[in-house]
Structures are given as C-alpha cells and as structure tokens.
Amino acid sequence: MAGIGFKLRTFVAEGTLMGILKGYLYSAVISSGPWIITVCTLAAISLMGGHEKHFEVAILYVYAFSLIVTGLFQFIVTRFLADRLYAEDLEVFLPTFMAVSLVVSLFQAVTGILAFGAMETSLLFRILAVVLYIVVSNLWLSLIFLGVVRAYQTIVWAFVIGSLISFATAFLLGKDFGGEGYIFGFTLGQFAIYVTLMYVMFTEFEAKRVFDFSFLGYFKVYPALAYLGLVFYMGVWADKFLFWWSDRGTVIVAPIFRASLEYDTAGFIAQLSVLPALALFMVKVETGFYEKYRDFYGGITAKLSFQDIETKKREIVENLKSGFGDFLRVQGLTTFFLVVFAPQFFYFLWLSDAGYALLQIHLVAAFWLTGLLLAMIILLYFEYYPQAIISAGVFLGSNLLFTQVGLRWRAFDGYGYLLACLCGFLVAAWFVARGLALLEFVTFSKQ
C-alpha cells in the first residue's frame, strides 16, 4: 500500500484541514473498505430497528471464514505483485487479478456450498449466502491490487456508494422479505463495489493474456507466507469459535450455526476503532519507512561505505520509532476516548451492561492487535518470515489457551483475547527491535 500512500500523502502535505481529512479518509476507506461497509451497514440497520438473526449470523460466518481462507493467499499474492512491480512487469497485474479471482471464487464456491448448504433456511437464502461469501472473499484480495492504481478517488466512491446500496436495499427489502431481503440487499451493494474495482483494474492495466497463474508457484517458494496468513486470521477468530461452542453460545440457525451475538458484536464493532491507526500507517508511517528502507538497500547496491550504510539503518530505526510513537498517541487516544464513552458512543447497539464491558475490553484488544499487525508488516519487509509466523503463532496459541481458561469464569470474558493480542504484539515488537539491531549482519550474511 506504500504506492497509493505516496499519492494520498500529497493531500496531507497541503496543510489544509480539507486536505488532511481527505488524505486520511481515503486511506481508511482503501485499507479497510469491506469492513467499514459491513459494520456501518449493520449498525444502521440495527439503529433503524431491523433485526434478523439468520442474516446476522450469515454475515458473521461469511467474514470469519472469508478472512481465514483468503489469508492463505493474501501475503503470497502481495509478495508476487511486489516482485513483479520491482521488475517493472505491470502487464502481469490484470491477468494475475483475474487468475486470483477465478481460483478463490471456485474454492470458496465449494466451501461455501458445503457450509451454507447445511443452514436450515430457504434455498434462496442459502444461495445468496454463498454468493456473498464469494464476493466478500474477492473484495479482500482486491485490496492487494489497489496499491499501484491511480484512480483512488473512484475506489473510494465505489465503497461509499456500495455502502449506501447495501444499507438502503437491505433495509427496504428486509422489512418486507425478512432475512432473504436483508442478505440480497447487502450482497447487491458488495457486488457493485467488486464490479467497480474490476472496471478500475481493466482501465488501469493492459494485458496480453486473460489469466496468469504464476503466483501459485510462490506457494512453493514462500510457503511461510501462506502459513502466516492462515495462522494470523485463525488467531483473530479463535476466541469467537470457542465462545460459539461453549455454554456462552447458542444455536442461531440449525443445525451447526452457533454464535454468541453479544460477544461477537463487541468484537465486530471494536475492529472499526482502529481506522485512525490504519490511515496513519498508510499515509505517514509506511510511506516514510519505505523511503528509508529503499535508501538502505539502495546504498548497499551502490556499494556505499559501511558507515554510510549504518547511517541509513539508523534513519530506518528513527523513522519506525517516530511512526510507532504516532501510532501509540493517535490510536491510544482514540481507544481511550471510546472505552471511556462506550455506552454513550455505541448506544445504538442496545447492549447490556455486560455487553458494553465486553466492548470496552475488545476496544483495548483491537489496539494491541493492530500493533501486532503493523509489527508483522515491518518483519515482512525485511523477510523475517519465521519471526512473523512465531508472532502470529503466539497470538493464536495464547488466544486459545487464555480464552479456554477464561470461559470458566464469566467475569473474565474477553480478557483472554486481550491478553493474546498483547502477547502477540510484545513478541512481534521484540523481533522487530532485535531484527533492526542485527540488520547489517543479517543482510550481508544472507548473501
């Protein structure tokens, strides 16, 4: 995303209030568009008095398993595109986009039919759930390709208009047709976004072939990246799975679709709170870091003196210290404000006192989870793949352990997830610090 971050940074550099708002708003939408749409749409429907548990649990499972499954592809495809961009081979972008969409659509169609086909609902509802599952999976992967496009304003408007379509059609049709109306309207908005992104891809890139499956070879070359995506997203949802199948969960749709709606709602909404951090990272931290990162390795390629290379490494360290300091201040203040005023700010959720307590815990957890994600991205820049997997593994393992232990006492609900996020972040941050300290040695010894 550093590519599009450079473009959005020009808005912030204007120094005007409108420029700053535009830059950070665009970056938030582009980095987390599907998530923003879902949370805002569900919140708006709930605020307008629309409740349909079949629809809510379908959305929950769509997002859980679309993230987990596409996690296998996300880092692999990102690395492949980065290599092609470095080689200035832009003609491969569109064929790769088409190939990724085809592979993911076929895979998710099979898994979606097996999963949602078991729902004891109408046939139409099950078909729409599978279609939504496929569309959302492709949306997640589409975000990978947006870093090098120029039509970022079209992308933002696609998400905005798609969000309005999802809300308006879901609410209007849901009033008359229940769950089928809700899921049809919501799917329509998501599909409109995906079609627009496809249009942007076709207008931005030229190609001599329709499909390019070269990225599949990267599963053999970089298997660690596939494991990392799977482990990380399993960690994000592990505590939810445990809650669903404990005495805290209930059967929402027979026979197997269980949920713990108050716990799930708290986690779902809390993830939206980290948008300031993601926007800051794209516009300021990652772009500034990338410039220092490029200078460091460019200096090695240019055979600069070791003292000059050490100077460039210190610039990387100082940039990351400044960036993470900004993250702690901006996101820390945002999280603190939302935690203190959670009942007032999220009044439309109509949660119980215990539900608002869960939301406050998840808000703090989302803060540390974002720190973990950003630290892992830095590890990936330096190809510290084992360290990134260990960090994600610690997060997954501690989430399973702490949540399972905490389920014995209701007073500890949510704290297992919070502790897991903190543990994962601390391990990843330690690896980043140690990796930077040994950067010259690792860089030259790899040769």
Side-chain angles (χ1 to χ4, degrees):
M1 282 300 187
I4 204 166
F6 286 120
K7 301 166 190 172
L8 298 180
R9 195 170 63 176
T10 59
F11 288 122
V12 179
E14 293 175 2
T16 64
L17 177 60
M18 184 58 67
I20 293 173
L21 291 176
K22 187 184 295 185
Y24 286 111
L25 178 62
Y26 281 8
S27 62
V29 172
I30 291 172
S31 64
S32 308
W35 196 263
I36 297 173
I37 287 175
T38 303
V39 173
C40 292
T41 301
L42 294 180
I45 291 174
S46 175
L47 185 62
M48 298 295 288
H51 296 280
E52 213 292 332
K53 289 186 177 181
H54 286 57
F55 169 64
E56 293 174 0
V57 79
I59 295 295
L60 190 63
Y61 277 70
V62 161
Y63 273 82
F65 289 98
S66 67
L67 277 169
I68 291 171
V69 174
T70 58
L72 288 166
F73 296 87
Q74 287 185 17
F75 294 115
I76 290 285
V77 175
T78 301
R79 176 59 198 254
F80 174 78
L81 294 180
D83 288 349
R84 294 300 87 212
L85 185 62
Y86 180 78
E88 298 183 356
D89 183 14
L90 294 182
E91 287 188 355
V92 78
F93 270 65
L94 183 57
T96 301
F97 174 77
M98 297 301 294
V100 170
S101 297
L102 179 62
V103 171
V104 170
S105 296
L106 292 175
F107 186 83
Q108 296 297 65
V110 174
T111 57
I113 290 171
L114 291 175
F116 294 104
M119 295 184 80
E120 293 186 359
T121 57
S122 68
L123 177 61
L124 176 59
F125 187 93
R126 284 176 280 169
I127 292 174
L128 290 171
V130 174
V131 172
L132 178 62
Y133 182 52
I134 296 171
V135 172
V136 170
S137 297
N138 279 288
L139 276 178
W140 288 125
L141 293 172
S142 297
L143 296 179
I144 300 172
F145 293 83
L146 302 184
V148 293
V149 302
R150 292 164 295 181
Y152 50 87
Q153 292 177 315
T154 303
I155 296 168
V156 171
W157 278 109
F159 281 114
V160 172
I161 295 174
S163 178
L164 294 175
I165 293 174
S166 283
F167 165 67
T169 54
F171 181 72
L172 293 175
L173 294 177
K175 290 170 60 178
D176 295 326
F177 301 102
E180 287 78 5
Y182 279 121
I183 197 167
F184 176 81
F186 186 78
T187 303
L188 185 63
Q190 305 293 292
F191 184 71
I193 297 170
Y194 182 64
V195 170
T196 305
L197 296 184
M198 286 188 65
Y199 169 77
V200 170
M201 294 294 295
F202 274 93
T203 56
E204 288 276 341
F205 300 109
E206 297 180 356
K208 296 179 180 179
R209 54 193 180 278
V210 179
F211 298 104
D212 188 313
F213 294 94
S214 301
F215 76 94
L216 293 175
Y218 273 50
F219 281 94
K220 184 177 180 180
V221 180
Y222 302 106
L225 293 178
Y227 300 143
L228 174 62
L230 180 64
V231 171
F232 176 71
Y233 286 113
M234 282 291 293
V236 171
W237 290 94
D239 58 308
K240 287 78 172 174
F241 295 154
L242 291 177
F243 264 78
W244 296 348
W245 293 96
S246 71
D247 60 352
R248 308 289 202 281
T250 57
V251 176
I252 305 298
V253 182
I256 60 172
F257 286 82
R258 300 172 62 89
S260 179
L261 290 179
E262 198 161 54
Y263 185 88
D264 300 331
T265 299
F268 217 67
I269 294 293
Q271 293 302 325
L272 196 62
S273 69
V274 300
L275 289 180
L278 296 178
L280 178 71
F281 186 77
M282 179 187 290
V283 173
K284 185 176 180 182
V285 179
E286 189 176 17
T287 51
F289 162 76
Y290 176 72
E291 290 172 329
K292 304 301 181 184
Y293 167 91
R294 184 179 55 192
D295 289 344
F296 174 78
Y297 288 103
I300 293 175
T301 304
K303 299 182 179 181
L304 296 182
S305 68
F306 189 68
Q307 286 183 332
D308 290 336
I309 292 173
E310 281 191 315
T311 299
K312 292 185 179 300
K313 190 199 82 167
R314 285 194 293 271
E315 291 176 355
I316 292 178
V317 174
E318 291 302 317
N319 178 268
L320 286 178
K321 284 182 179 179
S322 174
F324 273 95
D326 290 341
F327 161 72
L328 292 174
R329 286 189 292 272
V330 172
Q331 190 57 48
L333 183 63
T334 301
T335 299
F336 175 79
F337 175 81
L338 293 177
V339 167
V340 172
F341 298 102
Q344 293 79 19
F345 198 80
F346 298 103
Y347 70 92
F348 56 86
L349 298 177
W350 294 302
L351 297 174
S352 64
D353 290 341
Y356 282 114
L358 281 173
L359 177 58
Q360 291 169 323
I361 294 169
H362 275 86
L363 286 167
V364 179
F367 172 80
W368 294 118
L369 178 64
T370 306
L372 166 61
L373 177 60
L374 302 188
M376 288 199 314
I377 291 174
I378 300 303
L379 291 173
L380 294 181
Y381 264 104
F382 295 111
E383 296 189 348
Y384 290 135
Y385 297 155
Q387 292 88 335
I389 292 178
I390 292 172
S391 302
V394 168
F395 169 49
L396 170 59
S398 56
N399 196 9
L400 290 170
L401 175 62
F402 294 148
T403 301
Q404 187 62 50
V405 172
L407 282 170
R408 302 186 181 188
W409 302 280
R410 285 189 176 271
F412 288 94
D413 285 357
Y415 283 104
Y417 179 59
L418 190 158
L419 290 174
C421 294
L422 178 58
C423 288
F425 168 73
L426 292 176
V427 171
W430 184 82
F431 277 132
V432 169
R434 181 167 176 78
L436 289 174
L438 299 175
L439 184 58
E440 306 98 323
F441 170 76
V442 172
T443 300
F444 285 103
S445 63
K446 275 186 177 182
Q447 310 309 311

